[in-house]
Amino acid sequence: MQIMPFQLSIARDEHGAYVFYAFSDESNLVMRIDIPDRLRDIGIRLLESPLPVFYDDPHELGRELGQVLYPPEVQEMLSHAAQNALRTKRRVQIQLQIAIPELAALPWEWASIPNPQPWAPARTDDFPVVRHSAVAKPAHPIVVDGPLRVLICVSDADYDSLRVISSLLAIEVVQQRIVIDVIVVTTITDIEVALQSAPVHILHCVAPVELDHDQVLTLRFEEAIDIDDFRDLLAPYPTIGMVVITPVGPQSAQVMAYPQIYAALLLNNTLMAAIAFGGVCRAEVLTRFAATCYNAIIDGMPIDLAVSHARRTLGNIDVDPLWGYPQLRLVPGGEAVFSIASPQNRFEWLRAAGIIVVLIIALVAVTVLGRYLRGDGLPSIIQMLLPHTP
């Protein structure tokens, strides 16, 4: 189904004031807004502090973010957009483009609309929320003619708890719709060896993202992998369409921005999607999210809807709003990251070959029957079927 973009942007004007932009097919909105000091302070701490920012009430934080992102004028625009999408057989996609670093760092996925009943668009299929990257032009979808291949990179301590994702997708694995490889990573070489051994479509790294002493973002396994080295590592592998970064550990009420920034910096014209968690989650939470998301992808669901679907799964297994942690960033126009061949299409040639064989057998049978009815003896018929030798 074709997407109807619904773009929401925040920038500064020449006087330093915050300006809010909303664009849809039917109308545009431009207005100055005030950003509460509390939100701005959280964003600054997310960027400047190496430690996570703890929150008191995520529901209140979601309401504050919603008041900025979905004022009454935008709610009305969303309602009209939904009606227009229904008439034109399209679907609305909320696209966030926030040009101010300390505001972009905020967990806007939690933003909720308070009336008449509080709800968050990021949890719905009707208004999936994505963040757009600055990459100008996406590549064509990556054709997956066979199983979707997922490489999950973990530290030694997390191997046993993360490998259970294969059991959650056991039926799909048996059906050869997906292949899950979980490897222990010590250095970047471990990932390189795995990428060289088999094609990979999704690279999932279960590790924290930190700033090193040079203020460079690093993915922390036993040996840190800085962002430039990781980009160079992925460059020769155009089959990788999505990167996922999910810190794992004891759950606590905290948000962070570094994983999302690290993932966003990896996007390019071929690597079109990145999912990153803005908080630390338990292993069982991560595996449930990943299994749900990947299962939706192999069913042919677009990435944005697959993430919304998996967010709701997180909301169902925990009272804390963990569903707001996953952030999806896309190259504009890159929603169809993968083109998944259905099992029927993969084995179409077998059916075609079977039909040809049946037709040949039928033709031979008709020929044999005709000769028999004309009175040819059985030895003559058998001789006709044998290869001729001079």
Side-chain angles (χ1 to χ4, degrees), residues 62-120:
R63 286 190 290 269
E64 290 183 67
L65 293 167
Q67 288 172 358
V68 174
L69 205 58
Y70 304 115
E73 298 90 338
V74 172
Q75 294 178 41
E76 184 176 356
M77 288 178 63
L78 269 176
S79 177
H80 289 307
Q83 295 171 20
N84 188 18
L86 185 63
R87 288 195 306 270
T88 57
K89 297 182 179 180
R90 292 181 290 172
R91 63 183 184 87
V92 177
Q93 182 189 78
I94 297 176
Q95 302 170 350
L96 304 185
Q97 295 176 305
I98 300 176
I100 304 167
E102 65 270 22
L103 298 186
L106 292 168
W108 294 102
E109 286 68 21
W110 267 343
S112 62
I113 296 176
N115 53 338
Q117 183 70 26
W119 63 282

Side-chain angles (χ1 to χ4, degrees), residues 205-363:
C205 296
V206 182
V209 176
E210 303 171 353
L211 283 178
D212 66 9
H213 60 278
D214 294 323
Q215 299 298 295
V216 175
L217 284 172
T218 63
L219 189 63
R220 174 60 68 176
F221 291 101
E222 186 171 325
E223 178 185 281
I225 304 174
D226 72 44
I227 184 66
D228 292 328
D229 289 342
F230 206 68
R231 269 199 299 251
D232 293 341
L233 170 69
L234 301 183
Y237 302 101
T239 62
I240 301 176
M242 183 164 74
V243 170
V244 182
I245 298 178
T246 54
V248 65
Q251 192 170 308
S252 59
Q254 61 187 34
V255 290
M256 54 184 63
Y258 292 162
Q260 294 95 318
I261 298 172
Y262 192 100
L265 291 174
L266 295 173
L267 295 187
N268 55 44
N269 289 335
T270 58
L271 204 169
M272 295 181 283
I275 299 173
F277 271 36
V280 176
C281 290
R282 304 185 309 275
E284 59 267 29
V285 172
L286 297 184
T287 54
R288 181 65 63 88
F289 173 87
T292 304
C293 184
Y294 300 157
N295 197 16
I297 291 172
I298 62 178
D299 281 341
M301 191 176 290
I303 297 293
D304 58 337
L305 297 184
V307 172
S308 292
H309 181 55
R311 283 191 185 118
R312 290 197 299 276
T313 298
L314 294 189
N316 292 335
I317 65 175
D318 204 296
V319 293
D320 196 50
L322 300 177
W323 59 264
Y325 282 170
Q327 179 188 113
L328 172 63
R329 185 171 291 271
L330 289 174
V331 172
E335 290 79 11
V337 178
F338 302 110
S339 176
I340 306 291
S342 67
Q344 293 83 3
N345 291 337
R346 290 185 209 141
F347 298 107
E348 191 67 38
W349 68 272
L350 286 176
R351 286 202 299 274
I355 292 172
I356 292 173
V357 169
V358 169
L359 290 175
I360 292 173
I361 292 173
L363 180 60

Side-chain angles (χ1 to χ4, degrees), residues 112-151:
S112 62
I113 296 176
N115 53 338
Q117 183 70 26
W119 63 282
R123 294 185 64 178
T124 70
D125 291 338
D126 295 327
F127 303 100
V129 175
V130 306
R131 303 202 188 200
H132 266 185
S133 173
V135 178
K137 185 179 180 182
H140 294 293
I142 296 168
V143 177
V144 181
D145 190 7
L148 183 76
R149 305 190 70 94
V150 181
L151 178 64

